[in-house]
Amino acid sequence: MNAVPVVGRVAELREAADAARARGGSVGLVPTMGYLHEGHQSLVARSAAENDLTVVSIFVNPLQFAEGEDYGTYPRDLDRDLEMCADAGAGLVFAPGAEEMYPQVPLTSVAVEGLNAVLEGWSRPAHFDGVATVVAKLFAMLGPGRAYFGEKDYQQLAVIRRMAADLSMPVEVVGCPTFREPDGLAMSSRNVYLAADERPAATVLWRSLQAGRDAVVQGSRDPGEVEAAMASVLAAEPLACPDYAAVVNAATLERPDVLDGELRLLVAARVGRARLIDNLGLDVGRL
């Protein structure tokens, strides 16, 4: 296995991306906060298959953590991350410190109004402003190319897609399917927080999404009925503390009066220390 070059300065990242484009190559970016898993590797592998240079950014972004959240304890293991990046075909890792990303207190932030205030925005105000701001910075640093995001964080993907479109950024935002454990649990860096007895309980999120999907497949077009089906499964798990169960339009994240077209079912719950999210896409027209 060849080691992946690691840079920590913006100028070094730009130099590598500009050199790849000067050779006629394309550049792909996989933004991460590190502590990588197979889901991240699938994003890196796809980028490596579609681009001449794949850059993986590893940066735990303080702007997207509220006071009392797990910024200080968020899992970190750079050596392990570098091995996983190499195995998946990354060409460069950008691992800056906070002082490089934010050399001074930022007075500018990016807010995608509407998309940033619902669902996760209810529980984590300003979270998506922090996400959009750091991703906008990464896009500006990298220049033209493609950026790969997992659908597990579906609201994040929707926010970034709209931000890139609204600001005419020269970056194609590519969404990739959620990577799951054999029992359906969506892979997440925060799964490491789960205790042994909590790990099987965490599959309740996937089971609740399946209950919502079944309700739609069986003919329900009432969002309240579908949300109730998901919520009842979440509530039945004693180790889970539900946050929300929602069905929304896949593009706007708005709750429709009648279910039609492309939908997203989304759930969130706390299981022990871990706050977990998951989602499932449905196209009513294809049922």
Side-chain angles (χ1 to χ4, degrees):
M1 178 186 69
N2 295 324
V4 181
V6 183
V7 299
R9 297 182 60 81
V10 173
E12 295 172 309
L13 170 62
R14 284 182 171 147
E15 181 180 7
D18 288 345
R21 286 187 291 265
R23 295 191 297 267
S26 58
V27 179
L29 171 68
V30 181
T32 82
M33 292 205 302
Y35 211 73
L36 306 184
H37 50 66
E38 291 177 57
H40 294 110
Q41 283 191 305
S42 71
L43 303 180
V44 177
R46 177 164 174 182
S47 176
E50 296 178 354
N51 299 282
D52 299 283
L53 172 66
T54 289
V55 177
V56 179
S57 66
I58 298 176
F59 177 63
V60 183
N61 175 36
L63 294 189
Q64 65 195 70
F65 291 81
E67 185 176 353
E69 292 188 335
D70 59 341
Y71 173 69
T73 60
Y74 192 85
R76 296 163 169 87
D77 190 339
L78 182 59
D79 290 340
R80 174 177 169 274
D81 290 344
L82 295 179
E83 291 182 5
M84 297 188 77
C85 287
D87 288 345
L92 183 71
V93 169
F94 177 52
E99 68 283 352
E100 181 70 13
M101 290 296 288
Y102 304 112
Q104 54 189 341
V105 176
L107 301 180
T108 303
S109 64
V110 179
V112 182
E113 298 292 342
L115 295 182
N116 67 351
V118 299
L119 301 167
E120 287 298 286
W122 295 331
S123 301
R124 307 181 70 189
H127 168 72
F128 287 113
D129 295 356
V131 171
T133 299
V134 75
V135 173
K137 286 174 67 71
L138 288 169
F139 285 4
M141 295 168 186
L142 191 78
R146 301 183 181 97
Y148 296 79
F149 296 86
E151 290 186 353
K152 198 272 289 184
D153 296 295
Y154 187 79
Q155 187 173 2
Q156 172 180 276
L157 176 59
V159 165
I160 291 166
R161 277 177 168 159
R162 185 58 184 263
M163 175 193 74
D166 284 353
L167 299 182
S168 301
M169 292 176 166
V171 177
E172 177 188 352
V173 177
V174 182
C176 302
T178 300
F179 213 78
R180 298 186 180 277
E181 302 282 1
D183 61 3
L185 179 66
M187 289 192 176
S188 168
S189 298
R190 286 188 169 95
N191 289 351
V192 70
Y193 296 154
L194 295 167
D197 61 330
E198 295 165 349
R199 171 59 185 79
T203 63
V204 70
L205 279 80
W206 177 233
R207 289 185 275 117
S208 69
L209 291 171
Q210 291 177 306
R213 178 189 60 193
D214 290 346
V216 177
V217 169
Q218 291 166 12
S220 177
R221 297 297 179 263
D222 180 345
E225 290 181 358
V226 175
E227 290 168 348
M230 294 190 289
S232 67
V233 174
L234 288 175
E237 173 51 64
L239 294 183
C241 180
D243 191 343
Y244 60 78
V247 55
V248 300
N249 177 279
T252 67
L253 303 186
E254 295 176 348
R255 186 178 189 263
D257 294 328
V258 177
L259 300 183
D260 194 17
E262 293 190 17
L263 306 172
R264 278 281 157 173
L265 312 181
L266 302 106
V267 292
R270 187 172 292 278
V271 181
R273 287 181 57 210
R275 185 178 181 281
L276 305 176
I277 60 174
D278 202 352
N279 70 88
L280 180 65
L282 284 177
D283 187 344
V284 174
R286 295 189 176 184
L287 294 179

